[in-house]
Amino acid sequence: MSQPPQEKTAITPRRDEDFPEWYQQVVRAADLAENSDVRGCMVIKPWGYGLWENMQRIFDGMLKETGHKNAYFPLFIPLSYLAKEAEHVEGFAKECAVVTHHRLESDGRGGLRPAPSAELTEPLIIRPTSETIIGASYAKWVQSYRDLPILINQWCNVVRWEMRPRLFLRTAEFLWQEGHTAHESAEQALAETDLILGLYEKFARDYLALPVITGEKSEAERFPGAVKTLCIEAMVQDRKAIQAGTSHFLGQNFSKASGIKFQSREGKEELAWTTSWGVSTRLIGTLLMAHADDDGLVLPPRIAPAQVVILPIAPKPDTRDAVFAAADKLAAELRAQTAFGGEKITVEVDKRDIGGGTKSWEWIKKGVPIRVELGPRDLEKGSVAVARRDRGPKEKEFVPNADFVGKAGAILEEIQAGLLARASAYRDANTVKIDTKEDFYAYFTPKNSEKPEIHGGFALAHWNGSRAVEEKIKEDLKVTIRCIPFNAPEEDGKCVLTGEPSKRRVVWAKSY
């Protein structure tokens, strides 16, 4: 018996056919970003950058509420600074871009070359992260315990030379925030590390509708030079993990390397205790992979650049002015409404002179939460056609104008909550406890090795604490410990690889 034809979708291939290509097509269809002429770099387009601006605005507000301030530090880091912290430089050495000259000259063939006479006395590294250069400033600023704590964040770009780029997920240059703090005691620095992780979890859950697991990284997965790394881990729709944010307790390692010393309350010279933490434009890729469908992007309302788009439909010139005026009036009424406890609703009116169907599908693919169609007949009836992105693209509801304006905030809240519930259910359905090596290897092995299908998920399995076990499983399956979850109860068990005793399960997964 022949199979019924599958419903046509806006994105091809579908997620279940070729997830990596589906991802690229969603980025393109939503007009989020494109590859730059500089290999490994991207151009973030207005709709994609609008997402990043909202992430900046919201998270920046959360940081400032907790006493953090923004500053800016140099893009260039002297090679000697990076070399001071051995583990740190080893971790980033293969990803560094290096500046060696400060001037160009003609090569005599119509081109340019670095001028031999302009070679720098010391090469400069384009920052892959800023612990060392910020540490140099803190060493000047800190003299006494009275100068602590320092709670500083910066919004900037960083460069990590990426050999296998993918828009938003891995690019040679990306945007992020990086926080760097210095404290009088280890307890204060650890409290800061925990505080920031809590902010990341809240931001991911309440704004991005991403259910995340919080926990500590294993030693093998720890940030280079850190004593402890905490993280939030998200599952996306191919069941892989994405490290969505990290918060690092650096101990006194970077203070020792940079000379961040202070006179204690007892009059002794001590090293400061420091932290660093960051989230990046990778969150946009995470958002897409967690929520998008086979018709394009699906945006949680609290992060969308526009929550409502009004599509005036006026094919005849004699009705255009009236329809456009009604659309502007509706937009003003909606902008006066609030959702999520007082946030103003954001609205865009699309007056472009293109077909209504084409226009509607563009916004479906961009993931705007609510689409409102308004034409001459709607004006006569005093109603609008309302479509929600969390429902089928053909589903519309005809609602009286006033009713829609009054309900818009509640609809947005319902969409936001629904996306979080859907993502949580997906993660929970694909999280399993595994106790044997055979089951573990089977779980993470695709049936089709030539073109792997979506498989695996999060495996909760016992681990003996050995780095050798991590390396063996990573080598065999490309699976790593994503985190040692905070909420994991202690329970006696056996390491999934060696059978040796273990006290708790950890989260294993394939990841980006």
Side-chain angles (χ1 to χ4, degrees):
M1 182 181 294
S2 62
Q3 295 292 322
Q6 288 191 311
E7 188 172 341
K8 194 175 189 313
T9 58
I11 304 299
T12 53
R14 299 187 312 274
R15 286 164 290 181
D16 61 347
E17 293 174 327
D18 187 339
F19 194 86
E21 183 59 26
W22 165 83
Y23 173 82
Q24 301 285 6
Q25 293 302 325
V26 173
V27 171
R28 185 175 294 113
D31 209 27
L32 295 175
E34 64 187 22
N35 289 307
S36 162
D37 291 343
V38 180
R39 188 187 180 281
C41 295
M42 63 178 169
V43 175
I44 305 176
K45 301 177 83 172
W47 191 247
Y49 199 75
L51 279 169
W52 182 241
E53 284 180 313
N54 280 348
M55 291 178 183
Q56 279 187 298
R57 175 181 54 81
I58 294 162
F59 192 68
D60 197 62
M62 294 170 74
L63 288 178
K64 285 173 179 169
E65 285 177 5
T66 50
H68 298 82
K69 298 183 186 302
N70 287 331
Y72 187 80
F73 295 87
L75 173 68
F76 301 117
I77 299 175
L79 178 62
S80 58
Y81 282 31
L82 208 63
K84 286 177 182 176
E85 216 294 320
E87 189 178 347
H88 189 66
V89 71
E90 184 180 350
F92 285 105
K94 294 178 182 178
E95 301 177 344
C96 288
V98 186
V99 178
T100 57
H101 291 72
H102 66 82
R103 188 173 68 248
L104 298 174
E105 66 179 16
S106 171
D107 64 2
R109 300 188 298 274
L112 294 169
R113 67 179 182 188
S117 61
E119 186 172 357
L120 298 175
T121 54
E122 179 179 5
L124 298 173
I125 309 301
I126 300 177
R127 62 176 166 229
T129 180
S130 298
E131 280 77 8
T132 55
I133 191 72
I134 290 177
S137 290
Y138 286 8
K140 298 172 190 172
W141 300 351
V142 175
Q143 307 299 323
S144 160
Y145 70 89
R146 296 183 181 88
D147 299 321
L148 298 169
I150 299 177
L151 308 175
I152 283 182
N153 174 68
Q154 76 166 342
W155 295 93
C156 64
N157 62 341
V158 292
V159 170
R160 297 178 183 176
W161 214 255
E162 181 56 56
M163 302 310 294
R164 295 180 298 278
R166 187 178 301 185
L167 292 171
F168 292 113
L169 296 177
R170 288 193 178 277
T171 48
E173 179 193 17
F174 55 91
L175 307 180
W176 76 350
Q177 59 75 211
E178 53 175 320
H180 298 268
T181 70
H183 303 265
E184 187 179 351
S185 69
E187 292 74 21
Q188 290 170 2
L190 283 164
E192 167 77 6
T193 311
D194 290 337
L195 169 70
I196 296 300
L197 191 77
L199 294 184
Y200 286 157
E201 181 186 20
K202 177 179 175 59
F203 178 64
R205 182 188 65 241
D206 294 353
Y207 292 91
L208 308 184
L210 290 173
V212 292
I213 295 175
T214 59
E216 182 179 347
K217 288 290 188 184
S218 66
E219 182 184 355
E221 296 293 316
R222 199 179 288 159
F223 178 74
V227 175
K228 177 185 284 191
T229 289
L230 309 182
C231 62
I232 57 172
E233 295 285 330
M235 179 189 286
V236 293
Q237 292 179 80
D238 64 349
R239 305 184 203 159
K240 290 182 180 177
I242 293 188
Q243 179 181 286
T246 50
S247 182
H248 314 290
F249 170 59
L250 304 177
Q252 295 175 309
N253 293 343
F254 286 88
S255 287
K256 185 176 182 181
S258 298
I260 310 173
K261 301 174 183 177
F262 68 96
Q263 188 176 57
S264 71
R265 295 170 191 267
E266 292 75 33
K268 298 177 182 177
E269 185 179 80
E270 295 188 11
L271 292 168
W273 299 82
T274 65
T275 78
S276 67
W277 27 272
V279 294
S280 75
T281 38
R282 167 179 273 218
L283 282 176
I284 296 175
T286 308
L287 193 74
L288 187 162
M289 285 187 162
H291 297 305
D293 61 22
D294 294 330
D295 288 320
L297 192 58
V298 178
L299 288 177
R302 293 190 87 177
I303 209 69
Q307 294 167 326
V308 181
V309 62
I310 299 172
L311 308 175
I313 300 170
K316 297 180 180 178
D318 58 338
T319 60
R320 188 167 298 149
D321 288 348
V323 170
F324 281 3
D328 288 338
K329 181 174 181 292
L330 177 60
E333 291 171 348
L334 286 167
R335 290 181 184 124
Q337 305 300 308
T338 60
F340 307 105
E343 298 172 17
K344 291 285 188 182
I345 293 176
T346 56
V347 186
E348 186 163 334
V349 181
D350 187 349
K351 297 180 181 178
R352 292 176 299 159
D353 186 17
I354 59 176
T358 301
K359 197 184 290 189
S360 181
W361 271 106
E362 281 191 16
W363 288 105
I364 290 170
K365 289 184 280 191
K366 282 178 176 284
V368 75
I370 299 176
R371 306 184 311 283
V372 181
E373 294 180 0
L374 180 61
R377 291 183 184 176
D378 300 304
L379 290 189
E380 293 172 8
K381 296 176 183 176
S383 65
V384 289
V386 178
R388 294 168 47 155
R389 186 60 184 88
D390 61 338
R391 295 181 178 172
K394 296 178 182 177
E395 289 186 48
K396 291 181 188 177
E397 186 179 359
F398 292 90
V399 185
N401 259 20
D403 287 0
F404 171 62
V405 171
K407 293 177 181 177
I411 295 171
L412 292 169
E413 290 171 1
E414 188 179 306
I415 294 171
Q416 182 83 23
L419 292 179
L420 177 61
R422 188 163 71 187
S424 298
Y426 184 85
R427 181 195 65 183
D428 294 346
N430 292 290
T431 300
V432 299
K433 288 185 177 180
I434 298 180
D435 292 312
T436 69
K437 178 182 176 181
E438 293 73 24
D439 289 345
F440 188 90
Y441 273 62
Y443 186 65
F444 287 114
T445 302
K447 293 181 175 63
N448 183 350
S449 59
E450 296 296 318
K451 188 178 179 183
E453 73 283 0
I454 292 175
H455 64 283
F458 284 179
L460 303 177
H462 280 278
W463 168 57
N464 67 352
S466 160
R467 189 163 187 155
V469 167
E470 286 185 88
E471 291 172 355
K472 174 63 175 169
I473 289 176
K474 185 176 183 178
E475 179 185 344
D476 289 352
L477 299 170
K478 297 182 179 176
V479 168
T480 55
I481 294 175
R482 302 317 306 155
C483 69
I484 304 163
F486 291 145
N487 62 355
E490 281 202 9
E491 60 171 72
D492 289 329
K494 294 181 179 179
C495 175
V496 75
L497 187 69
T498 67
E500 294 173 345
S502 163
K503 284 293 184 185
R504 68 173 57 193
R505 296 177 187 270
V506 299
V507 179
W508 300 82
K510 293 185 177 180
S511 67
Y512 285 95

